[in-house]
Amino acid sequence: EIGATQTIYNLFPAGDARHAWTFGGTSAGIEVVKYPTTQGFEDIHVIRYGEVLLILAEGLARQGGTSNLEEAVGYVNAVRNRSGAPLYDFGDDLTTQAEVLDAIHLERRLELAFEGEYWFDLVRTDRAAAAIGSNFDVHEALWPIPVTERDVAPNLTQNPGYGG
């Protein structure tokens, strides 16, 4: 359902084993081989330990403070270590809250590639407009509120861009 781009293909650092776990090559181009299926159109949602670690890391990083940021980097490194990607050194590679949050965002993109999380990460972190560019309309970050919900809650207003 989700096609690969050259950008995500090239985003993995050298030595990161997740690249081989995610992509295969064909004469027609890049092929995503993560979670191969035999039945066709399965709708599988998986939450893995790596994702839990990255959620924890982001929570700590958002709290701020040197000890929280250092602990957050430790959780990111736990995910990177498994894949063989180079580890971060807090205070050397990453020094600010913004840098740690950027590293977590990148790690989520690599670790959770093609698992259907990226759009929600972009919206949640207010990065959707920057990632999509001029073709992005802010209302696209919100879903319309179903009329059935608005019928039972008359003071609820529709999200912008979806009419009354």
Side-chain angles (χ1 to χ4, degrees):
E1 292 180 10
I2 302 170
T5 63
Q6 196 66 44
T7 301
I8 186 75
Y9 186 86
N10 294 337
L11 198 57
F12 288 85
D16 191 329
R18 292 174 295 188
H19 189 273
W21 301 336
T22 304
F23 301 108
T26 67
S27 59
I30 302 168
E31 177 186 2
V32 177
V33 296
K34 190 174 193 178
Y35 297 123
T37 61
T38 57
Q39 301 299 314
F41 297 104
E42 292 92 348
D43 186 14
I44 301 170
H45 185 80
V46 176
I47 184 164
R48 297 181 288 104
Y49 184 58
E51 182 175 3
V52 172
L53 291 177
L54 293 172
I55 291 169
L56 178 57
E58 184 175 345
L60 287 165
R62 289 196 179 281
Q63 290 178 21
T66 302
S67 63
N68 284 339
L69 293 175
E70 190 169 4
E71 189 175 356
V73 171
Y75 288 120
V76 172
N77 280 338
V79 174
R80 292 177 71 82
N81 186 52
R82 177 191 52 86
S83 70
L87 304 182
Y88 293 117
D89 180 24
F90 181 74
D92 191 15
D93 300 322
L94 305 172
T95 58
T96 67
Q97 182 183 33
E99 289 174 342
V100 173
L101 287 169
D102 285 345
I104 293 166
H105 181 72
L106 172 63
E107 202 58 33
R108 285 185 61 84
R109 184 159 186 211
L110 297 174
E111 181 69 17
L112 306 174
F114 307 102
E115 294 182 26
E117 302 291 335
Y118 187 54
W119 170 251
F120 300 104
D121 286 348
L122 289 175
V123 170
R124 181 176 47 77
T125 60
D126 292 325
R127 299 170 187 240
I132 295 173
S134 62
N135 292 330
F136 180 75
D137 189 353
V138 175
H139 88 275
E140 295 172 325
L142 300 172
W143 291 63
I145 299 173
V147 68
T148 54
E149 297 299 318
R150 290 185 287 128
D151 285 347
V152 296
N155 294 330
L156 192 61
T157 58
Q158 183 58 274
N159 283 326
Y162 292 103

